[in-house]
Structures are given as structure tokens and as C-alpha cells.
Amino acid sequence: MLTREEDVDAHALRRQGWTISAIARHLGRDRKTIREYLNNERVPGQRRQAPDAFVPFLPYCRQRLADDPHLWASALFDEVTALGYEGAYSTFTRALRRYQVRPHCEPCHATTGRNVAVIAHPPGEEIQFGWLELPDPPESWGVGSYAHLLVGALAHSGRWRAVLAESEDFPHLVQALDDVVRKLGGTARRWRFDRMATVCYPSSGQVTASFAAVAKYYGVGVDICPPRRGNRKGVVEKANHSAAQRWWRTVPDGLSVPQAQSGVDKLASRMDERRRKVDGISVTVTELADAEPMLDIPVRPFPAELEVERTVSPQSLVSFEGNFYSVPPGLPGVQVHVRHRLGEDSLRIATTGRAVIAQHRRAPRGSGQTVRDDGHVIALERAVLASFTDRAPCKTKVRRPPSAAALAEAEHLRGQPAAGNPAERVVIDLSTYAAVADRLRSAPSSKEESPE
């Protein structure tokens, strides 16, 4: 880049007859640069701007934010990075502001501030748990209007993990809790919840007897948030917000539950790379979490009884946790109950009348296995083969007019007697004969009318 003074000198020396090479040696610049300034191709005092790497992705970003104005920039950055964008996140957000890509939302524009207290969280002291209700899940999941994600976050380091559950009842809560603490690599000394009915009595905040047994099993204390104090477990609420914005908003319709679980696991692992400052030292969430003193957890989860309702498929299979289990044939479309005690290696399938019709070994969750009983396979094959015949197909191009029996039925529908004895078809109306007889009696004889 030439300064304005150097540009003036270059033009003056050129008018004096100097060559471009001589001017370049005199000013200590490249000949191409001198030629561009003399040809007025460049403006003095301004650097040449490199092509903006964001411009090819500008239409995609405008469309995505037009479809979803509240999509997080970090989630959009993940998408354009997968599409080939090589810039940094700060450069990306600066381009979003420069090109004014995000539409204005007036209801969300104004915010109100409030005082926030700083709560100390010693390492290994607390895990915060919270349910995240996810609206409009894929129809193939079969969970209704909402999917359920249990999120657990270490209050000190901010590391969080999450598990998808079919519902928020007590057995699914225990199963999800066990999965979350195993993903975290252990448990803290205390668990914090809001006033969920499966943990405590919402009116008083006292822990229920069933969940007290769970806490004793894992050797932890239980803390319940005060009423209307959502910020008390702000670490997990922030994790909920990140999971909803950066993962759930981008889940496509065709994604299965195991694939969705893998997606949220990858997001949680990526967010372990966030940086924190502790006593002026910059560290990552991973380094903080690895240094937390965690308690060991039991080998098996708390033995809660898990029971879900399923519909038998035409192949006499029942789906459960990403696998399929066989039942006896003859039950397609029937509602059955799958029962599994957490920690056991088997499960039972029963009818609505509580009669157990099958028992299988439990396959790993989400492995996509089909577990069949040999007796069920043989019985199903026999039932399928019995429904087939070795007779030749019926001929369709033949002439078959209505039979005598069909014609008789047609005559009956027309209100006429069936064809047979001709005498039966004669209709005798006695009233006609009675009318004729009356006329004959009333008419005068020929002798009475003739004059004498």
C-alpha cells in the first residue's frame, strides 16, 4: 500500500520521464504496485481487501434465519462449517452483524435486568438435574407431543450430559439418572432438583420415600430448589438452553432415537472445549471436570421396575429401546406391556391382563438387534405356511351367468313368487266376483220389464 505522499511522488516522477522500474527502486516498492497506482487501479491509503469468505454462505444464512429468526449463531456456525466455511467463529458473527442477516424481533429486543447473586460451587459438590421437554418430536419415535431429555450438569466445571427418555415417570427418571452419572464418570456428593413430583412433594419440598431409597443406593444427598427460584440451578438451565438451541432445533424428521442420542452426546462433548478462567488461569471445562473429586457409583443401577406399552407388529415383534423382541404368533395389533427391572439382563412381555407371554435376554440399548425365541419362530412359520394353499389360482376370464338360485332370489326381491307350478302364478281376486254378483242381483229380470 502506498501512502498519499508516495503516490504523489510516483505521479510526479512519472511525468518527469522516470520509468516504472526506476520509480519502484526509488520508493522501495514493487513494480506491479507502482503500475497499479499510476493507472489509478488502487486508492492511496487504503489496503486491498481480500475476498470475503462469508459471501458465498450469505444466502444460506439469510434463508436459515428467515426460517428461524432465533437460531443461535453457534448452531448456524456449525452448519456452515460443515458446508465448507473456514473462517473463525468471531469472524462469522462479525459478518452476521455487518450484513444484518438476522431479522429484527421486537418482542425479544427489549430485556430487563435484575440482580444476580454469585453462588460458590466447590469441586465435586453438586450435580444439577433438570428435565427438558422437547416439543414436536419425529412421529416415528412414538412418544406423543413431547420428547423428554434429562440433563445433568456439574455445578463447578459446567460439564453436562443428557439422556433421552420416553417419559418423566419414576422408573424412566431413575434410568436416565443412572445413565447421566455414568456418562459424567461418577457422581457428586449432592444432587439438586427442582420440585418435580417424582423426587419430592411439590407443596412441601420433602423427598418422597421412593426417591429417598434411590439417593441412599447411590450414597448422595438431595437438595430441592426453593419455590420460584429457577436461577438456583442455573448451570443445568444453561445446558438445557444450549441443548434446545444447538441440537433440538436442527433435528430432522427422519432421525431415530439412537441417532438423536448420539447427536446430543457429540454436542455435550464439543462444549467441554469451552474455556473458563479460574484464579486468572485459563482452563477448559474438560480440565476442570477431570480434576473434580467424584464418588464411585454402583455397578448396577437402582432396581426400579420399568414398564412401557407397545403394539405387536405383523411380524410378531415388539420394539423396546431400539431393539425388537418376539412374541407368540396371532397377536398383531395387540397392546402388550414390556417390563424390565433396571440392572437385570432379561425382560418380560405381558398382556394387558398381566399374563407373561414372552421372556428374553435384554439386548444393549439402541443396538438394533432382533431377539427371537426359537419356539416363536417355529410357531410363526407354521402359522404363515398354514395360511397359504397349493391350489391353482382361479380363472378370471370365464362366463358365469346368474344361477337358478340367484334368479329365484332376484324374483323374491321383486315381490313375485318363485318360478315353479304355473297355477301358483294365477292371481284370484274374490272382490271382483262379489261385485259382479251384486250387479246381477240388483238388475230387473226381462219378464218384469215387458208390458202385459
Side-chain angles (χ1 to χ4, degrees):
M1 181 188 71
L2 295 183
T3 63
R4 290 187 177 86
E5 292 77 8
E6 291 174 333
D7 181 64
V8 171
D9 291 343
H11 281 79
L13 294 175
R14 183 61 173 173
R15 294 192 63 177
Q16 295 174 16
W18 285 41
T19 64
I20 293 178
S21 299
I23 298 174
R25 288 193 299 270
H26 177 73
L27 296 178
R29 301 290 184 177
D30 184 75
R31 288 178 298 174
K32 295 180 182 179
T33 303
I34 297 298
R35 184 180 292 107
E36 290 174 352
Y37 279 94
L38 291 176
N39 293 336
N40 295 321
E41 296 177 0
R42 296 180 61 177
V43 179
Q46 296 182 5
R47 292 190 179 274
R48 176 179 291 173
Q49 297 291 332
D52 192 349
F54 176 77
V55 172
F57 303 91
L58 180 58
Y60 176 79
C61 294
R62 286 193 186 278
Q63 184 61 47
R64 285 291 285 126
L65 291 177
D67 298 337
D68 187 0
H70 300 91
L71 180 67
W72 275 21
S74 54
L76 185 58
F77 178 72
D78 293 339
E79 295 182 8
V80 297
T81 300
L83 294 174
Y85 180 73
E86 299 180 353
Y89 178 70
S90 58
T91 306
F92 176 75
T93 55
R94 189 163 52 248
L96 291 180
R97 294 190 295 269
R98 182 172 67 253
Y99 291 102
Q100 298 181 354
V101 182
R102 188 181 298 278
H104 177 73
C105 181
E106 184 62 30
C108 299
H109 185 67
T111 58
T112 56
R114 56 181 175 182
N115 297 327
V116 178
V118 178
I119 303 174
H121 297 296
E125 179 66 22
E126 181 178 275
I127 298 179
Q128 300 177 3
F129 291 99
W131 281 113
L132 177 61
E133 293 185 346
L134 307 171
D136 192 25
E139 187 176 354
S140 60
W141 291 13
V143 295
S145 302
Y146 289 90
H148 308 278
L149 186 75
L150 183 71
V151 183
L154 293 171
H156 173 72
S157 62
R159 170 183 281 177
W160 62 272
R161 295 294 184 266
V163 173
L164 280 166
E166 188 170 335
S167 68
E168 298 182 8
D169 59 9
F170 179 76
H172 284 94
L173 171 65
V174 175
Q175 184 183 38
L177 283 172
D178 185 83
D179 290 341
V180 167
V181 296
R182 294 184 191 280
K183 289 177 181 291
L184 290 173
T187 180
R189 290 183 286 273
R190 305 195 69 82
W191 292 352
R192 180 171 292 278
F193 300 89
D194 56 14
R195 299 198 166 212
M196 59 179 67
T198 50
V199 175
C200 68
Y201 299 102
S203 58
S204 63
Q206 294 181 347
V207 179
T208 62
S210 56
F211 194 81
V214 176
K216 291 179 182 178
Y217 183 81
Y218 288 93
V220 298
V222 179
D223 294 323
I224 306 298
C225 287
R228 296 176 294 279
R229 297 292 189 277
N231 286 354
R232 183 57 185 86
K233 58 183 187 71
V235 179
V236 71
E237 294 297 340
K238 182 62 177 178
N240 287 350
H241 196 36
S242 299
Q245 299 295 333
R246 298 190 60 178
W247 167 69
W248 182 249
R249 275 185 177 269
T250 60
V251 170
D253 290 334
L255 210 64
S256 64
V257 175
Q259 291 171 335
Q261 180 64 59
S262 176
V264 72
D265 289 341
K266 291 178 181 178
L267 173 63
S269 298
R270 286 204 312 271
M271 295 193 69
D272 287 350
E273 301 173 2
R274 294 169 295 166
R275 305 201 68 83
R276 297 283 188 269
K277 272 199 173 182
V278 179
D279 298 331
I281 302 175
S282 178
V283 295
T284 63
V285 171
T286 299
E287 294 171 346
L288 283 176
D290 292 343
E292 290 197 54
M294 306 291 285
L295 301 178
D296 294 332
I297 55 180
V299 178
R300 292 179 176 271
F302 180 81
E305 183 77 22
L306 189 68
E307 182 174 342
V308 295
E309 189 177 67
R310 291 291 186 267
T311 303
V312 181
S313 71
Q315 295 79 24
S316 296
L317 295 175
V318 174
S319 63
F320 179 67
E321 294 184 343
N323 301 296
F324 294 92
Y325 301 90
S326 66
V327 296
L331 300 173
V334 175
Q335 299 292 323
V336 296
H337 293 271
V338 182
R339 300 177 189 172
H340 168 59
R341 187 175 294 276
L342 301 181
E344 293 185 356
D345 298 329
S346 63
L347 56 86
R348 301 175 302 281
I349 303 176
T351 63
T352 54
R354 302 296 179 178
V356 177
I357 58 176
Q359 185 168 348
H360 296 280
R361 64 168 180 85
R362 178 177 172 270
R365 188 188 310 175
S367 60
Q369 297 185 26
T370 300
V371 182
R372 294 181 181 271
D373 184 87
D374 293 339
H376 297 164
V377 174
I378 296 173
L380 181 61
E381 289 179 354
R382 290 176 178 174
V384 172
L385 292 176
S387 63
F388 288 94
T389 179
D390 55 358
R391 296 175 56 187
C394 298
K395 296 180 179 180
T396 57
K397 298 180 180 179
V398 294
R399 187 181 66 83
R400 289 183 178 177
S403 63
L407 292 175
E409 291 295 333
E411 292 293 334
H412 176 71
L413 293 175
R414 295 190 186 100
Q416 299 178 6
N421 187 356
E424 296 178 356
R425 302 181 61 88
V426 178
V427 178
I428 300 176
D429 192 352
L430 298 179
S431 62
T432 303
Y433 288 97
V436 173
D438 291 340
R439 287 197 299 271
L440 292 175
R441 284 194 300 268
S442 60
S445 62
S446 59
K447 294 181 177 180
E448 294 176 355
E449 295 178 357
S450 60
E452 293 182 354

